[in-house]
Amino acid sequence: MRRYSLFFILLAIIAFSACKQTPKKTDDPAIQRKKDSLERIKKAEEAEKVRPRTAADIKLEKDLTYNEHTLEETYPYKDTTRHFQLDKIKEKLAYIENFQRAPHNYAVLQNYKNRNGESPVVENFVRNAYKRVSDTLGTERYQSAPLYRAEDSAKPSIYGRDGSLVSLESSDTLKMVKVNGISFEGTWFVPKRYVKSIGDSLKITHVNFVDVTNQNILTVERTGEEEWKIRSMNPATSGLHKPPHQMETPVGIFMVQEQKAKMFYLGDGTKTIEGFAPWASRFTNGGYIHGVPVNNPKGKIVEYSWSLGTTPRSHMCVRNASSHAKFVYDTSKPFKSLVVVID
């Protein structure tokens, strides 16, 4: 009996060991298809997160919070029509969405009235219609920052406009810092004195679009992921190319840098204060978004001018109805908001 007992115990041990070594059965096809499907969904979600956004991804809805002097999307002008270039605006908003999705140490190029020193002459320079030194792209030396191809370059290659947004790629303790352009293309070296660091937490929620072709201004506010609301649609008057004093408003992406409740201006070619423009928000060089100019330093604010929305006639600035300039002044804070000039 003991022999039989031992025999059966041995058989049980062998059977148990065999069970442990038997590989698990492969999942049935339905379960495997479900696993594969979940894996594909996960990969698709990961790819969607990093996919560059396009104009088609931007949700842009009209939800005005400023309701004075409002223009329709398409409106008559003399014997033709003008419009708001919403497709181009969506393209710019997609670009803004894309650069904000990657980490950056943001900075702004600054040289208002050459306060940080006159830039050196670029390698290949020209004299423009105003008889001022410019690079071959048309950016003037005056009020700009020099951009060098390499840290040890003898001369800058081009100029970066005052108010241009960049990503700071090297320590700002150095004399010469490396930047990647956001407002312009390429990687460049810039003397530190022309670069104002604004940190890594910038979140652009307010953008002002100035259209120099259609002479209008549209403001937007970001309300969610790829979601923007149109807050105002107004007539505007941009800068006129008329040497030696009047200059066109440059096309590009600029940071709002400073604001003045009254921006006093001089008479052309003089040092005499001729008047003021109310609710001025400066974005590049001497270019401001501001209200209707008052040709009297002690005069009262004027709300509207017949010239708004007609033809360029300003000095680089963007004229608005004064209450709209106040709206921009209140919503677009310095170093937190953009002015995008399109043509």
Side-chain angles (χ1 to χ4, degrees), residues 162-182:
D162 172 80
S164 296
L165 184 63
V166 298
S167 175
L168 188 60
E169 301 298 316
S170 63
S171 171
D172 61 4
T173 61
L174 303 173
K175 274 192 172 183
M176 186 82 79
V177 296
K178 184 179 180 181
V179 301
N180 279 333
I182 294 176

Side-chain angles (χ1 to χ4, degrees), residues 110-128 130-148 155-162 193-194 247 285 316:
Q110 290 192 309
N111 199 21
Y112 178 52
K113 293 185 178 179
N114 280 357
R115 286 177 180 172
N116 295 318
E118 186 176 39
S119 290
V121 177
V122 292
E123 294 169 328
N124 301 306
F125 73 91
V126 295
R127 287 198 178 271
N128 62 17
Y130 297 83
K131 299 182 180 180
R132 292 196 282 262
V133 171
S134 302
D135 63 22
T136 53
L137 300 177
T139 305
E140 285 192 356
R141 176 191 190 189
Y142 179 58
Q143 300 192 95
S144 291
L147 302 182
Y148 296 80
K155 288 186 175 182
S157 296
I158 60 173
Y159 296 117
R161 287 190 184 277
D162 172 80
R193 66 181 182 274
Y194 298 102
M247 295 189 70
N285 296 6
M316 190 185 287

Side-chain angles (χ1 to χ4, degrees), residues 42-327:
K42 183 179 179 181
K43 287 182 178 178
E45 288 175 345
E46 290 173 352
E48 177 63 16
K49 286 179 182 178
V50 298
R51 177 183 63 83
R53 284 356 186 203
T54 67
D57 297 305
I58 300 300
K59 302 177 186 68
L60 183 61
E61 297 180 354
K62 186 175 177 180
D63 186 10
L64 303 184
T65 52
Y66 175 86
N67 293 288
E68 303 294 326
H69 318 294
T70 302
L71 297 171
E72 296 297 327
E73 183 179 332
T74 300
Y75 55 94
Y77 176 72
K78 292 188 175 181
D79 58 351
T80 183
T81 59
R82 286 182 172 175
H83 64 283
F84 288 89
Q85 300 187 68
L86 298 184
D87 288 341
K88 188 175 286 189
I89 286 170
K90 285 182 179 180
E91 288 176 6
K92 298 299 183 183
L93 290 175
Y95 180 74
I96 292 168
E97 288 278 353
N98 285 331
F99 76 67
Q100 289 197 107
R101 292 165 68 203
H104 292 290
N105 185 9
Y106 293 99
V108 180
L109 300 185
Q110 290 192 309
N111 199 21
Y112 178 52
K113 293 185 178 179
N114 280 357
R115 286 177 180 172
N116 295 318
E118 186 176 39
S119 290
V121 177
V122 292
E123 294 169 328
N124 301 306
F125 73 91
V126 295
R127 287 198 178 271
N128 62 17
Y130 297 83
K131 299 182 180 180
R132 292 196 282 262
V133 171
S134 302
D135 63 22
T136 53
L137 300 177
T139 305
E140 285 192 356
R141 176 191 190 189
Y142 179 58
Q143 300 192 95
S144 291
L147 302 182
Y148 296 80
R149 295 193 184 280
E151 193 171 4
D152 57 356
S153 297
K155 288 186 175 182
S157 296
I158 60 173
Y159 296 117
R161 287 190 184 277
D162 172 80
S164 296
L165 184 63
V166 298
S167 175
L168 188 60
E169 301 298 316
S170 63
S171 171
D172 61 4
T173 61
L174 303 173
K175 274 192 172 183
M176 186 82 79
V177 296
K178 184 179 180 181
V179 301
N180 279 333
I182 294 176
S183 294
F184 50 83
E185 294 182 353
T187 299
W188 305 90
F189 288 87
V190 190
K192 179 191 170 184
R193 66 181 182 274
Y194 298 102
V195 180
K196 177 181 175 61
S197 176
I198 54 177
D200 59 3
S201 59
L202 177 66
K203 296 297 180 186
I204 299 295
T205 58
H206 289 82
V207 185
N208 306 282
F209 286 94
V210 175
D211 186 335
V212 298
T213 299
N214 291 282
Q215 294 293 285
N216 59 44
I217 182 170
L218 178 147
T219 69
V220 298
E221 180 181 1
R222 191 176 191 269
T223 55
E225 193 75 20
E226 297 146 32
E227 293 182 357
W228 297 79
K229 302 290 188 190
I230 298 173
R231 297 309 195 192
S232 67
M233 301 171 73
N234 276 75
T237 301
S238 63
L240 174 66
H241 180 89
K242 186 180 179 182
H245 301 297
Q246 292 174 271
M247 295 189 70
E248 66 270 29
T249 306
V251 172
I253 298 174
F254 305 101
M255 180 65 68
V256 175
Q257 298 181 73
E258 67 171 322
Q259 295 179 315
K260 299 175 181 178
K262 281 188 175 182
M263 186 270 290
F264 292 94
Y265 56 86
L266 306 178
D268 287 344
T270 76
K271 294 183 179 181
T272 302
I273 294 177
E274 185 175 89
F276 73 92
W279 311 118
S281 300
R282 190 175 70 81
F283 57 96
T284 185
N285 296 6
Y288 292 78
I289 293 176
H290 62 64
V292 176
V294 178
N295 292 324
N296 177 355
K298 297 181 180 180
K300 293 181 179 181
I301 292 176
V302 176
E303 168 60 8
Y304 200 81
S305 167
W306 64 268
S307 64
L308 293 175
T310 58
T311 58
R313 58 186 66 225
S314 188
H315 294 64
M316 190 185 287
C317 293
V318 182
R319 298 180 187 176
N320 292 228
S322 292
S323 60
H324 187 262
K326 175 69 161 58
F327 174 75

